[in-house]
Each structure stands twice: as C-alpha cells, then as structure tokens.
Amino acid sequence: MIKLEKIHRNFQVGEQTVHALDDINLQISQGEYLSVMGPSGSGKSTLLNLIGMLDHATSGQYYLNDQNVTEMNEQQEAAARNKHIGFVFQAFHLIPRLSARENIELPLLLAGIDSEQRRPKVDQALQSMNLIDRAHHKPDQLSGGQRQRVAIARATITEPSVLLADEPTGNLDQKSGADVIQTLESLNDRGITLIVVTHDSHLGKRSMRSLKMVDGRIESDKLADNTR
Amino acid sequence: MLSSDIILYGWKSLKGYRSRTILMLLAMSISVASVLLLTALGEGARRYVTGEFASLGTNMVIVLPGKSETVGMGLSTMMGVTPRDLTLDDAQALTRHPAVTRIAPLNIGAVEVSWQNRKREVTIMGSTQEILELRHWKLLAGQFLPKTDWDRATPVCVIGKKIRDEIFGAHSAIGQWIRLGDNRYRVLGILASEGRSLDIDVEDVVIIPVASAQSLLNTPSLFRILIETRSREAMQTVVDFAIGTIKQRHHGEEDVTVVTQDAVIQTFDKILSALTYAVGGIAAISLAVSGILIMNVMLVAVSQRTAEIGLLKALGASSQKILILILTEALQLSLLGVVVGFILGLGGCWGIRLALPALQAYPPIWAMLASFIVAISTGLLFSLLPAKQASKLDPVNSLQGH
C-alpha cells in the first residue's frame, strides 16, 4: 500500500546540497508495524514527513494505495492526508484554546462532516481513549499521557489507513509512554498501518519490522524479534 | 469544511486570543464611531445653520450697503470713495414693486439701557412695525411698535424677555419709561422667546422705531433692508428691481449687495456639506489606517500560530482552506468592529443630541454605509497579506514552530 521508488530528498544549505533521503526504495503493506530508527539527522523524520505528504521528494515516485502521490496537486494531497494519514507528534500539537473534544474533531471538521455526524464519532474516540471525563478540558488541564491520547484520538478519528508517529513517547514519563505505545499497538492490531520513528531501541524491538537509517539511506530493513 | 464550522472556528480563535481581539476591535470600532460622530456633527451643524437661515423669514431678499466684489483699482478706489449710505428713502423706494409684501429697514447698535438704578449694555434694533411679521416673531405681552411714518422718531420700544427680567425684575415693564443712551422710551411690549435665531437673540434686544435708532446712533445709514416678496418665484424680479432702483437713486452706481435668503442657505449648505464630507473623509482615512494595525496584528497572529497552521495542514487543510479561515476571522473581527463602532457612534450621537438639542446630530445614511463598507473592505484587504502568508507556510517547518 505504501511504495517508495528511488526517492531522493535534497536540501540546499548555502552552497551545499544535503541528501536527507538518498535513493530510498521501500514497500510497506497494510497493517504492518514498522519502526524507523537511526541517529539524529539520519533522515527518519524526513521519511515520515514524505510518507505523510507534508514534504515532497526531490525525485522518485511515491504510491499510496496505488495512487501516485508525486502527481497529486496540493488540494488532492490535503484531501488524501485527511482521509488516509494520521499523525502523532512528540510535542502533541494540540490547539491550546480548544477542548479535548474540539481538538479531536478537527480532522472531521476539515473533511466537511457536519456536527450531527461528528458527535458520535468523537464520543466513541473519547471513550476508547478513556478520556470521556476530560472531554471539555483544555490541553493545559491534561497530563502528558492524556494529551498524547487526545492526539492519537485526533489522528485516528477519520479512520486512516496509516498512522505516523514521530517520537510519540519522547515527552512522556515511562508509565505514560508505555500506555501510549499500548494504545498505538492496539490500533495496529485492528489493522492500521503503524509507522513509528523512535530513538528508543526497546520500542523498536516491539515492532514487526525495523528500519535503520544512516545518512539518508536505509542501512538495514529487517523483521524484528517481536518481544511484545 | 462547512461554512458554519469555518465561522465557529474563527470565533473560537477570536475568543482564544482575547487581548489581541480587543485591541483590534478598539481600533476598528473607534474609527467607525468617529466617522459616524464627525459626520453627524457636520450634518447637524448644516441642518442647524440652514434651519436658522430659513427661520429668518419667508421669501426674503436682503439689501446690504456696499458691493461685495473685488473692484480692483477702479475709479472709486483711486478716489477713496466709500459706498453711499443706504437710507430710509432708498427703503421707501423699494416698496413700489407689486411683488413686495413687506419691507423692514434695519439699524443695529449698542447703547446703555437703564431704569431706576439698574443699567446694562443692550443691542438696539431700529425698525418698523413690519419686522414682527417679516421675521415671524411673537409678542409675550403688550403691543409692538405702532404703524407710523418711518421717519417719525417716536419714543417707544419693545424689549426682550431677558432685558425685562434683568431691568425690571418683578416689576411690570409695560408702560414704564426706560432710558436708552440720553433718550427716554416707553415700553410697549415684551418679545416672546420664539424666533431666536442666528443673527439676533430676541430675548436680549430692544426694538425702537428706525428713525429713533438713527437719531440715537447718530447715523443716517441703514444696516440692512429686509424685503419679503409675494412668492418664491418673485424673488429674482425683486432682486433686479432693488439693484436697479438703488443704482438709479445712487447716481448710476451699483453700490449695494442684494442677496436672497435661498442663496445664503445654499451657500451655507454647500460649505457645511463640504465640511461634513471632509471630516467624514478624514475619519475614513483613520479607518483605513486602523486596517494597517489589523494587518500588523494579523501578521503577528500568523507568526504566533505557525504551529497551528502546520497542524491544520497535517490534518488535511489545503492552503486555500487556511486562507479562507484567516480571512473569515478577519471578516468576523471587522463585522464585530462595525457593530461596536455603530453602538459607540450612535450612542455618542445620542449623547450629543441630549447635550445640544439644537444640533440634531444624526449620522447621514451615506456615512453609515461608507463606514460599513470601508471597515469591512479594510479588514479584508489588510488581512489578505497575513492570510496569504499563512496559507503558504511549509507544514514541516510550521510544526517545528519556524
């Protein structure tokens, strides 16, 4: 379902060209749980942004559900992002003036779904994330773990096929981090493709497939020993 | 995204950034209010002044001594000739035209009035019985000047209400003899307050026969001749007749100015309308300037909300959607600014009307429409740049807060 062919992503820094992604060929099937690891600056986040259509390849082809993303215009990309991709960020990226409920329903709002249809979906998401009693709380009234669960609920509210998580436990204590990982994995168990960028080798070992990146290249791509 | 959701999202943003919203609202509403207030004052002043001139009388033609035009270095200027006096005989000559219904020659001056041990300075007006009808004045008590020959200096007078109160106090004024300068005059009547107008305060004047005034002020010249014509259409004929007659009487020299009441009203109307447009324009410029503030604040807002815009893009908002969101927010803000501005402006006008009832300070419709249109278009126009900037933000950099 995700297919990257000869992907290059170059950045111009002064007179120097930085190869953030260098000849990436990758195929990810529906329902896979993939961890992307590697040192800082190895191109992990660039790869995630590219898969999430937040960034564009300098060259190469990207197919998502057999659709050539590299040929899409900005509007089509935005619609595809809304429908197929969910993002979970290290910094949560919740809108501070909106309540947990309002943050969660944002993707539905952008999809043009009316409030009558939104309400049961958001209620269900709040329930599944055990946040029903926090529905009207603003982000600053929530703990780190709760904020990340709101972010996960928001990422999955449109039932995307791919969930991209960039260091999802980076800002959390151990217990909250473990809860969040469990939540993400349970979503993967229900069929969502989960791609996690992490520095955490323990988390990497829990995934089905582990990708190691160095200097914009895939150094290793192997099925991990699943200790889950 | 549904329109209702776009509006609601914008409203929540405005509520979320309260101090920023209040600042912009203040700028917008004060500007809108000042357009309404200034134009209302201008329009009120225009109505007041033209109304006052209209109250001078009906179908009135006014003859003034002297020619109101630049003569350059003509013979009269070189010889040091001054305009001839406008005399009672000149006024008498003007009664001959059939379209003339009333004529009131006028002399004005200031003398000391005294009764017993009370005295004060007053304006005296010398005229004839016809001035009462001609100026639509009313009597509070007694009677007006008798109908006598114009050149007969009868020692009688009619006084204003204020003079009666200040000179006579609780005593009855009618029939009493007052001293004006060195002469004594018997009080025949008291003028009512109605008819207080731009040129004369009828509460604070003493009216005596024109010949008496000429003798008291020691001048043969009249200050004005007021003529009432039979109809509005006859006014121009009377103007031509007055100019022709006086010219003939003054040995061929056209040394008077004859104006119609309409011309005076029209002139003031034009001047004050222009003034209203000018102050309205100045206020509208301040409204446009407030747009620059909106632009600055919106630019700051966009830079503060970079991560939010990046997030919206990550969640599936296109650049066009971001543009619409920011512009809707600006439109809501402008509309709110207009509403608050209208409340402030109309409230201010109401306050002015309470404080100065004579000045009917209502903002003109064109000013209300213009301030609405200028405010909305200013808000939108000056938000376009920040909105475009926001829509073009790169989502990856935005999410990192860059």
Side-chain angles (χ1 to χ4, degrees), chain B residues 60-65 67 86-87 89-100 102-103 225-229 234-250 252-260:
Chain B
M60 201 194 290
V61 173
I62 305 158
V63 184
L64 303 93
K67 187 84 183 120
L86 199 56
T87 62
D89 291 336
D90 291 333
Q92 201 82 56
L94 297 178
T95 57
R96 288 200 303 265
H97 197 280
V100 172
R102 287 189 182 90
I103 280 199
I225 300 171
L226 305 182
I227 307 168
E228 188 187 87
T229 62
M235 284 168 88
Q236 194 50 50
T237 320
V238 172
V239 169
D240 296 340
F241 169 74
I243 292 171
T245 308
I246 306 269
K247 190 176 174 181
Q248 198 180 19
R249 290 182 53 79
H250 290 194
E253 191 156 348
E254 195 182 318
D255 57 2
V256 288
T257 302
V258 183
V259 291
T260 62

Side-chain angles (χ1 to χ4, degrees), chain B residues 153-222:
Chain B
T154 322
V156 289
C157 69
V158 173
I159 61 173
K161 194 168 149 283
K162 191 174 171 189
I163 293 175
R164 181 202 59 183
D165 295 345
E166 288 183 8
I167 298 290
F168 294 99
H171 300 276
S172 167
I174 310 283
Q176 299 285 355
W177 287 83
I178 57 169
R179 186 172 286 277
L180 290 172
D182 295 332
N183 304 331
R184 295 173 74 228
Y185 294 82
R186 195 161 65 89
V187 179
L188 292 182
I190 317 289
L191 277 174
S193 301
E194 290 94 351
R196 291 180 75 173
S197 62
L198 204 65
D199 59 337
I200 200 96
D201 181 357
V202 290
E203 288 190 351
D204 199 12
V205 71
V206 175
I207 301 170
I208 57 177
V210 65
S212 305
Q214 284 184 326
S215 149
L216 189 64
L217 301 170
N218 194 25
T219 172
S221 180
L222 293 172

